[in-house]
Amino acid sequence: QVSASPPHPGTPSLVCRARGPSPVMSRAAGYDRHITVFSPEGRLHQVEYAYQAVKKNQNVTSVALKGEDCVVAVTQRKVPDKLMDKDFVTHIYNITPNIGALMTGMSPDGRALVFKAREIASKFKDTNGYEIPVHFLALKIANIGQVYTQHAYMRPYGVSTMLFSIDDEKGSSLFQVDPAGMYYGYKACAAGTKDQESMNALEKIIKKKDLKLTETETIQQAIGCLQAVLGMDFKPADIEVALVCKNRHGVIRLSEEEIDTHLTAIAEKD
């Protein structure tokens, strides 16, 4: 028997094999079925899908804005059923009395991550005798997110976390942690369905040189930004607002009456 001679190194079959499948083919080949397997383009498709879960799962947009001596977080509140008690629908949590968290994406994932963050903060205080700095808590949460992109036994959390606090050394602090375990400090940030449009609007606010971001102004700019991006006039029950401020203790959630006052002021400005 005469064996067929191997193809010449320059033949198309070997060239195609060296290049690997196209981006469309990589999904068909099943690279998006595993968290831990890179596609030929160097992508982790399941992690990218976690980002989509943040955008599309609740169809909610959130913004946070850092002022001169405060940080304000604003998010939509959507009650899925008229029979539900709206007080139990929230995206804003306390990690410690002085560190607030705004979770955008899958609510159960957000709640689970909040409980882990509270455990980390509690253990830190027991060990060191003082409250965990917000930048270190952001790092710890980011580490959890990174581990779940590397191990096959858990999927990534489908949630984006914004942490805000008044730090003893650094003053007003705002951090965002994404599902892949990336974390950064921000002057302003956004997450959810219209995150990119919100970031563009926040950029314009930050660039205004003559704008003094006092507590009241920061609240109104954050709410106004979210209103403009979503193209709707809010009622007090449509949004949640929380803030931390140097001259006020702890994380403060605004009541519907206080939100209504700010909404009226924004409407009068326009």
Side-chain angles (χ1 to χ4, degrees):
Q1 291 183 355
V2 180
S3 61
S5 60
H8 190 268
T11 56
S13 62
L14 282 184
V15 172
C16 289
R17 202 176 302 160
R19 281 183 194 150
S22 68
V24 178
M25 289 291 290
S26 67
R27 289 184 184 181
Y31 286 102
D32 66 337
R33 290 168 188 264
H34 303 277
I35 293 170
T36 54
V37 179
F38 283 106
S39 75
E41 301 86 48
R43 292 161 64 183
L44 291 168
H45 288 289
Q46 283 295 325
V47 176
E48 290 176 21
Y49 296 164
Y51 282 91
Q52 291 304 312
V54 173
K55 276 178 174 280
K56 295 175 181 175
N57 190 271
Q58 297 271 320
N59 200 23
V60 161
T61 305
S62 309
V63 298
L65 178 62
K66 190 161 81 167
E68 288 175 0
D69 56 0
C70 63
V71 186
V72 175
V74 184
T75 186
Q76 290 174 273
R77 174 190 273 174
K78 291 185 177 179
V79 182
D81 193 322
K82 286 182 181 176
L83 296 175
M84 284 174 70
D85 183 347
K86 69 178 185 323
D87 293 337
F88 286 83
V89 179
T90 184
H91 299 286
I92 294 170
Y93 300 86
N94 273 57
I95 306 299
T96 69
N98 299 310
I99 298 176
L102 171 51
M103 316 300 282
T104 310
M106 299 173 71
S107 293
D109 283 22
R111 189 183 62 246
L113 197 54
V114 161
F115 274 79
K116 285 203 172 187
R118 285 173 179 167
E119 193 179 333
I120 291 163
S122 178
K123 282 180 179 173
F124 184 95
K125 193 170 183 182
D126 284 347
T127 307
N128 298 288
Y130 62 95
E131 196 172 282
I132 189 169
V134 66
H135 64 86
F136 189 65
L137 180 61
L139 166 66
K140 287 288 189 182
I141 293 172
N143 282 349
I144 293 168
Q146 189 278 330
V147 164
Y148 293 159
T149 67
Q150 210 174 355
H151 287 276
Y153 60 86
M154 288 286 268
R155 64 166 174 78
Y157 284 98
V159 73
S160 174
T161 307
M162 295 180 198
L163 297 170
F164 50 97
S165 179
I166 301 294
D167 192 76
D168 291 338
E169 293 175 7
K170 298 180 181 179
S172 53
S173 302
L174 172 62
F175 288 85
Q176 186 172 21
V177 187
D178 69 19
M182 297 274 282
Y183 85 103
Y184 294 106
Y186 282 89
K187 293 175 184 172
C189 60
T193 309
K194 294 205 169 181
D195 57 350
Q196 196 52 56
E197 295 93 326
S198 301
M199 289 293 267
N200 295 340
L202 289 165
E203 210 171 297
K204 288 174 187 171
I205 294 168
I206 295 294
K207 281 181 179 174
K208 287 181 188 171
K209 295 226 165 94
D210 56 340
L211 187 66
K212 283 204 166 187
L213 288 172
T214 59
E215 182 188 320
T216 305
E217 190 62 40
T218 310
I219 293 167
Q220 291 176 9
Q221 288 289 341
I223 295 172
C225 167
L226 195 57
Q227 274 196 151
V229 166
L230 296 170
M232 60 191 284
D233 292 327
F234 291 136
K235 291 172 188 164
D238 292 342
I239 54 171
E240 290 183 274
V241 182
L243 69 145
V244 285
C245 201
K246 265 187 185 170
N247 55 16
R248 294 166 77 176
H249 181 70
V251 178
I252 300 136
R253 292 168 189 246
L254 296 192
S255 65
E256 286 193 13
E257 290 76 22
E258 289 172 304
I259 292 170
D260 194 32
T261 306
H262 288 296
L263 288 171
T264 308
I266 292 163
E268 285 170 1
K269 270 189 200 174
D270 296 342

